Amino acid sequence: MAQQAWRKIRMLVSGIIVGVSVLTTAIDRLASVTLVTGRSMQPSLNPEGGSNCDVVLLNKWSVRNYEVQRGDVVTVMSPKNPQDEIIKRVIGLEGDLIRTLGYKNRLVRVPDGHFWLEGDHHGSSMDSNSYGPVSVGLLQSRASHIIWPPHRLQRIAASLPPNRGPLDDEEEEG
Amino acid sequence: MFRSVLGKTLGFVGYTVTYGCFAHCAFEYIGEFVLCSGPSMEPTIVNHDIVFSERMSPRLCKIQKGDIIIAKCPSNPNINICKRVIGLEGDKVCTSSPSDLLKAHTYVPNGHVWLEGDNLKNSTDSRIYGPIPYALIRGRICLKLWPLHSFGSLSERPT
C-alpha cells in the first residue's frame, strides 16, 4: 500500500517537473502573452486607456535571430531600467537616417546593431527620442496579435506611422 | 507492427523534447559553459579558456563592480563579449588614457554599466562604445574550468 502511494507521489512530482520545464521553455522560446499598460502606443494598443487594457500575443520564435522589419511592434528590455519590458514600434534599422522628434540631435544615423524605436503616441512615450538608438540585443519579442478584449481581436500590422520612417539620403539636409 | 513503431517514435520524440526543455532551463536559469576567445581579458582569461557563467546574478540585479560578465555585444547581438564591470549606474568613470594630461570623466547613466577588459592595451570596450545597457548582461563568470592548472575562481583586476 505504502509503495503504491510512494509511486503515485513520484509520478506526480516528475510530472510537475516536466510540465514546468516544458512550459518555461515554451514561454521563453516560442510565445507568451502580456498585458499592455501605459499610453505610449495609443491608439494602436490600449485605446481605451487604463480601464480596459489590451492583452497581446508575443512571438519570440520569429525574433530568435534578431530579424525585425520597420513597422513591427516589438518588446525590448528598457535601456533605462533592466527590470522593465517596454513595447514600441520599430521606425528605423541599422544604417537608416532618422529625423528625430525632440532628441538631442535632429538627424541620427542608426549605428550597427541598433534600431530606432518610437511609441505611436509621441506625447506620452519614452522611446528613442529620449534615449537614442536601442541595441538590438535588448529585443525580446514581436507583438503579433491583440487577443483580448474580444472586440479588439486582430493581427497587429507592421506599418510605419505617417511621416515616421527612415529618410532617403537625398532628403538629408545640408 | 506499425503501431509499435509509431509508439516508439513518439516516445523518443517525447524524451527528446523533455530533455531539451531541461537543458534550456538549466542553461537559461542556472549556468552555462563558455569557451572564451580573444586577448582582451589577459592575463585573467586567455584564448581557449573554458569558464562557467552563472545566469542568476544578472536576473536578480546582483552584478557588482569587479565582476567579470558575459554580455551581448552592443553592436552585434549575435556575438557575446566577456569583460569586467568597472562602473555601475551613477558611478564616475575615467575615460581618458593614463598618458593624457587632462583627465576626462563621465557618469554611468541609469540602467547601464561600464565595461573594460583586463588587457587595456588590446580591448574594445566601453572606452570605445560607451556604457552598455545592464539588460545586455547574460551571466557572471564565477569559475574557470580549463586549463586545469588555472582551475578555480578568477583573480581581481590587475593594477
Side-chain angles (χ1 to χ4, degrees):
Chain A
M1 274 296 288
Q3 273 199 345
Q4 279 193 344
W6 193 229
R7 255 192 89 191
K8 286 208 172 96
I9 292 175
R10 274 172 50 191
M11 281 179 65
L12 182 67
V13 167
S14 57
I16 290 175
I17 291 176
V18 170
V20 166
S21 324
V22 171
L23 196 64
T24 306
T25 306
I27 289 176
D28 286 347
R29 292 211 179 232
L30 297 180
S32 69
V33 293
T34 189
L35 186 71
V36 178
T37 57
R39 301 176 303 178
S40 68
M41 285 298 293
Q42 286 179 342
S44 321
L45 299 178
N46 271 6
E48 291 152 45
S51 50
N52 218 356
C53 291
D54 285 347
V55 176
V56 297
L57 184 67
L58 301 178
N59 185 339
K60 306 216 174 180
W61 185 253
S62 63
V63 299
R64 67 194 182 281
N65 292 322
Y66 300 104
E67 284 165 12
V68 283
Q69 293 176 326
R70 296 180 193 87
D72 276 347
V73 175
V74 296
T75 67
V76 297
M77 298 313 291
S78 166
K80 287 249 167 259
N81 182 352
Q83 314 274 48
D84 258 355
E85 192 169 344
I86 58 179
I87 186 163
K88 302 281 177 247
R89 197 180 290 271
V90 177
I91 302 297
L93 300 174
E94 68 183 18
D96 286 351
L97 191 64
I98 303 286
R99 187 178 284 132
T100 67
L101 295 171
Y103 187 54
K104 57 182 179 179
N105 302 325
R106 266 184 85 196
L107 286 176
V108 165
R109 171 83 61 189
V110 180
D112 283 351
H114 289 67
F115 49 9
W116 189 267
L117 303 177
E118 287 179 3
D120 287 351
H121 188 180
H122 295 294
S124 269
S125 177
M126 292 289 288
D127 51 31
S128 286
N129 288 311
S130 320
Y131 41 69
V134 176
S135 181
V136 175
L138 296 171
L139 178 66
Q140 299 296 303
S141 65
R142 190 174 58 82
S144 59
H145 295 76
I146 301 177
I147 59 173
W148 188 268
H151 64 267
R152 284 189 44 80
L153 210 64
Q154 62 189 270
R155 203 152 80 88
I156 299 178
S159 63
L160 287 171
N163 299 326
R164 297 309 302 150
L167 302 172
D168 299 328
D169 284 332
E170 292 160 7
E171 293 180 48
E172 187 175 348
E173 287 167 36
Chain B
M1 194 201 123
F2 177 70
R3 279 189 70 172
S4 111
V5 167
L6 185 64
K8 288 204 166 77
T9 314
L10 285 178
F12 176 73
V13 168
Y15 271 115
T16 311
V17 166
T18 305
Y19 285 106
C21 294
F22 287 161
H24 167 88
C25 290
F27 294 141
E28 196 67 23
Y29 296 99
I30 302 177
E32 55 187 0
F33 302 103
V34 181
L35 175 67
C36 299
S37 62
S40 64
M41 283 297 294
E42 284 173 4
T44 317
I45 301 177
V46 307
N47 209 8
H48 304 315
D49 279 359
I50 298 179
V51 297
F52 183 75
S53 148
E54 54 97 353
R55 307 281 323 257
M56 279 317 290
S57 293
R59 286 178 195 275
L60 301 171
C61 284
K62 292 246 183 293
I63 297 290
Q64 295 171 339
K65 219 187 303 202
D67 282 349
I68 303 178
I69 53 97
I70 302 263
K72 294 210 197 116
C73 178
S75 55
N76 183 350
N78 294 305
I79 62 180
N80 293 320
I81 58 175
C82 173
K83 303 280 178 246
R84 199 182 286 269
V85 175
I86 302 300
L88 299 170
E89 67 184 16
D91 288 349
K92 188 175 177 187
V93 291
C94 180
T95 55
S96 56
S97 57
S99 57
D100 287 352
L101 277 172
L102 289 172
K103 301 288 175 199
H105 293 103
T106 184
Y107 288 91
V108 181
N110 280 346
H112 287 66
V113 292
W114 186 271
L115 305 176
E116 284 178 14
D118 285 354
N119 186 0
L120 290 171
K121 289 191 172 42
N122 205 349
S123 169
T124 311
D125 48 40
S126 288
R127 294 168 300 157
I128 310 282
Y129 45 66
I132 71 158
Y134 187 104
L136 286 178
I137 297 178
R138 233 181 114 80
R140 183 183 70 90
I141 297 187
C142 51
L143 204 59
K144 194 193 287 202
L145 302 172
W146 188 270
L148 290 173
H149 61 77
S150 52
F151 182 96
S153 53
L154 294 117
S155 35
E156 304 280 306
R157 188 183 193 205
T159 41

